Structure formats: structure tokens, C-alpha cells
Amino acid sequence: MKNENYLQILSKFVLSDKPAKAEEFGNGHINDTLKVTTDRGEAKYILQRINHAIFTNVEMLQQNILTVTTHIRRKLEAHGTQDIDRKTLTFLPATDGRPYYFDGENYWRVCLMIPRSRSYDEVNEKLAFEAGKAFGDFQLMLADIPEGTLGETIPNFHNMEFRLQQFRDAVKANPAERLESVEELVEAIEKRAAAMCIQEDLYREGKLKKRTNHCDTKVNNILFDEQDGNALCVIDLDTVMPGFVLSDIGDFIRTGANTGAEDDVNLDNVHVNIDIFKAYTRGYMETAKQFLTPLEIKLLPYGGRLLTYMQTVRFLTDYINGDTYYKIHYPEHNLVRSKAQFKLLQSLEEHAEEMDEFVNENS
């Protein structure tokens, strides 16, 4: 789109300054994100085109985000927090009062940029500790939102039973005729299946509750202060929805504590980085232990194995189906991803006792 088209869209929002230029920003894979500069040369707004092929209920999506950001702002105000506009996202309404604008084809939203902030794609121990604190604080502030308040923006997103059913349907249908080449990995997944559905079983038994989760706890979904490196604000709130607390610690372990790449061809590169796990857990437990139950704390390391297993299942399901969901860069890409995730799972299993002991000592 041309700049004038973006400016026309921006005119549909209640902005305090006149926008002059919109340009691509960040490296997100779902929504289209643009940085908006005002006529005074200040980078002040973020304009996003919402991918409503993935987020099919935009009304629910934006209501979730508004509920969460409003709740966090009230908590920060109650605690006398300074510089609140840098500690939570601020979304601006459209001129018709809605939290988004629909142009007949696409849905758009605008939020304020958070000044003097930056993000990171690589993790070290300091960033892992700060990320743990940030996501722990985030969950703590939202812990009193009643179950049923938020909707599921992606239904069954971290539902292991649902993901296994998708996997088994793919195995049964074998649409791309690839099953024969992955039978050993299929067997390994089925061998672990019952043990990986613990959270759904515990929920039905009333022993595990659903909480408000971020569900995409990568380090690049946190903004850090440019000067002191401390975490400022959790961002990318599209997947904030009800779920089990294991999802949020599990997904950071899966992504941040992996010594290799998610799609590493060389499996010798792939192991769990125990130091990153420990740093994140220390930061997370500083606040999370205020609201977590003893059972949730005990299961935190299991969350890393669960989310890694889940992603192995999802990548392999897509490979068996003929690569219909994830973008691939070469024909065997999803298989490579599956094997790399499974190697990380095996490393997590090897270190399970050590990780359990660490959580127990720090709870």
C-alpha cells in the first residue's frame, strides 16, 4: 500500500498528532505492523493490519486486549507506578468508538509507541531473568480476572488433546503419503501421549485452574528500557486468553532455553540451556509464587516438556498433511523442525530431575 492509503486509514482513529508517514516495522509473522511518524518527526504510533484469517473474531480479540490493558493500567495506578504509559500498551479508539477500524476488507488498530524502548531476539541470562519477572508480573496483575471474562482468540491453541487428535487424523488420512518416512517419530509421539495430557486431566478433576495467559512468551514479546536493560512492558497481546499456566513458562523454555534453532538441521546443536532456564525461573518465581498453587509450581518444568512436545506434534502433523499450515522454505522444512523440537524434548527429559529440584529449591 502507498503512504497516502495508510494515512487515510489513520484518519479513522482518534489521534492527538497528525501522522505524516507509515513504514514497515518489526519482524512479526502474523500481522502487518507499521511505525507511524508525525508531522513533527516523532515516531509516535503503531498501525497494525490484523490477520483475520487467524484471528477470526476481531471483536473478541480487541475486547480481550482492551480488558487486559485496562486491568493492568488500574493495577499500576493502584500501586503508584511511575511512567505508566511505558509499562502497558495504550490502544486508541477509532472515530466511531470501536477499538478497531474495518475498511471493508481489512481490520486495523492503532496503539502508542513506547518511547526509549527496544526488543531482543537473542536471550542471555540477564534478559531471561528480566523476561521471567515481566511475565510473572503480567500474570500476577491478571490473576484476579474471573474465568470466563476473556474469550479464546485461537480456540484450543494449547490444548494437547486437541493437537493429538489433529495429529492422529493426519496419520490416519496420510494425505501427502509421507507417513512411511516418519513412522519412528510417530511411534515416539504416541509413546508419550498419555503423559502429555496431564493438564487437561487435572482440569477435569478440579485440581488445575485456567488463568489468563500470554501464550506466546518469547523474549521479543517484551520491550526493555534502552538505558538500564530492565523489562518495561509485555507486548503482542493477540494470544492473551484463558489457559493453563504451564503454557507461559513452557513456551519460554522451548524458545529461549534452546541452544539451537527451532529448525536446526544439525541436531548436535540442540540442547536445553539450563542456565537460561534457571535465570528465567528465578525471575518468574519472584512474583508468580504469590498466586501459583503448589501443584502448578511442581509442574512448571513439565510445562517446558509439554510445549516442546506440542510443537513437535504440530510440525509433524503439518508435514504429514503436506505443509498446509506453516510457511516452509524447502520441502522437508517441517520435518526438520519436528526433529529439532523432538531433540530438545529429549534433552529436557534428560534434565527433568535437575529442573524439578531447582524449582523446588526456589519456591
Side-chain angles (χ1 to χ4, degrees), residues 183-358:
E183 285 181 345
E184 187 174 332
L185 188 50
V186 169
E187 182 179 340
I189 285 172
E190 285 292 359
K191 181 181 178 181
R192 293 165 170 80
M196 291 299 171
C197 293
I198 290 174
Q199 61 179 1
E200 287 83 13
D201 290 336
L202 291 171
Y203 180 68
R204 283 188 289 267
E205 294 170 8
K207 297 177 181 177
L208 198 63
K209 66 181 293 184
K210 288 189 176 181
R211 300 186 180 277
T212 301
N213 288 344
H214 186 275
C215 295
D216 192 15
T217 49
K218 298 179 178 66
V219 71
N220 59 12
N221 282 333
I222 297 173
L223 293 180
F224 295 83
D225 187 281
E226 283 183 341
Q227 290 190 325
D228 61 23
N230 293 334
L232 282 174
C233 177
V234 172
I235 61 172
D236 197 357
L237 306 180
D238 291 331
T239 54
V240 175
M241 55 184 159
F244 303 108
V245 72
L246 308 183
S247 292
D248 278 8
I249 191 166
D251 215 22
F252 189 91
I253 293 169
R254 183 186 74 82
T255 58
N258 185 354
T259 59
E262 186 177 68
D263 58 354
D264 216 311
V265 176
N266 184 355
L267 297 182
D268 290 337
N269 294 334
V270 180
H271 304 280
V272 58
N273 185 323
I274 291 295
D275 292 332
I276 295 294
F277 161 76
K278 290 180 177 179
Y280 181 85
T281 302
R282 277 194 296 266
Y284 181 72
M285 289 299 292
E286 276 198 4
T287 51
K289 63 185 176 184
Q290 297 178 46
F291 67 89
L292 294 179
T293 67
L295 178 59
E296 286 173 321
I297 293 173
K298 179 181 178 181
L299 290 173
L300 289 179
Y302 166 81
R305 301 193 294 276
L306 172 62
L307 268 291
T308 305
Y309 173 84
M310 186 181 297
Q311 199 57 53
T312 305
V313 169
R314 293 184 67 189
F315 282 144
L316 188 58
T317 299
D318 200 32
Y319 179 73
I320 294 170
N321 278 332
D323 311 309
T324 60
Y325 184 84
Y326 292 105
K327 291 181 181 178
I328 60 170
H329 300 296
Y330 51 90
E332 301 292 295
H333 198 177
N334 272 323
L335 180 57
V336 168
R337 288 164 166 158
S338 303
K339 291 179 177 180
Q341 288 293 285
F342 185 69
K343 176 63 186 305
L344 177 60
L345 173 62
Q346 290 175 308
S347 180
L348 287 164
E349 290 171 341
E350 291 167 2
H351 289 87
E353 185 175 344
E354 178 185 358
M355 295 167 75
D356 287 344
E357 289 177 357
F358 181 80

Side-chain angles (χ1 to χ4, degrees), residues 34-159:
L34 300 107
K35 178 176 68 175
V36 179
T37 306
T38 70
D39 58 354
R40 296 185 298 175
E42 178 188 6
K44 186 166 185 178
Y45 305 110
I46 293 291
L47 171 67
Q48 283 190 314
R49 174 167 34 202
I50 301 168
N51 186 337
H52 64 276
I54 292 178
F55 302 107
T56 57
N57 189 337
V58 174
E59 189 77 43
M60 176 202 290
L61 172 73
Q62 289 304 105
Q63 188 56 52
N64 274 9
I65 291 174
L66 186 60
T67 298
V68 165
T69 53
T70 301
H71 198 84
I72 290 174
R73 184 172 291 273
R74 288 173 180 163
K75 288 291 180 74
L76 294 173
E77 289 172 348
H79 283 86
T81 303
Q82 301 297 310
D83 212 6
I84 289 178
D85 286 339
R86 297 178 73 217
K87 304 296 177 62
T88 187
L89 294 176
T90 303
F91 285 84
L92 304 177
T95 53
D96 63 4
R98 295 182 179 184
Y100 60 86
Y101 167 66
F102 181 58
D103 65 7
E105 293 183 8
N106 297 294
Y107 293 86
W108 303 84
R109 65 186 173 203
V110 172
C111 70
L112 294 177
M113 284 196 72
I114 294 182
R116 304 181 306 283
S117 67
R118 63 161 299 176
S119 62
Y120 296 89
D121 290 318
E122 301 295 327
V123 184
N124 57 35
E125 288 182 48
K126 174 177 169 50
L127 290 177
F129 178 80
E130 285 295 319
K133 284 176 59 178
F135 285 121
D137 287 340
F138 182 81
Q139 287 185 328
L140 175 62
M141 286 188 286
L142 301 176
D144 58 347
I145 291 181
E147 186 172 339
T149 301
L150 304 181
E152 287 189 75
T153 54
I154 304 178
N156 295 307
F157 187 48
H158 282 169
N159 183 326

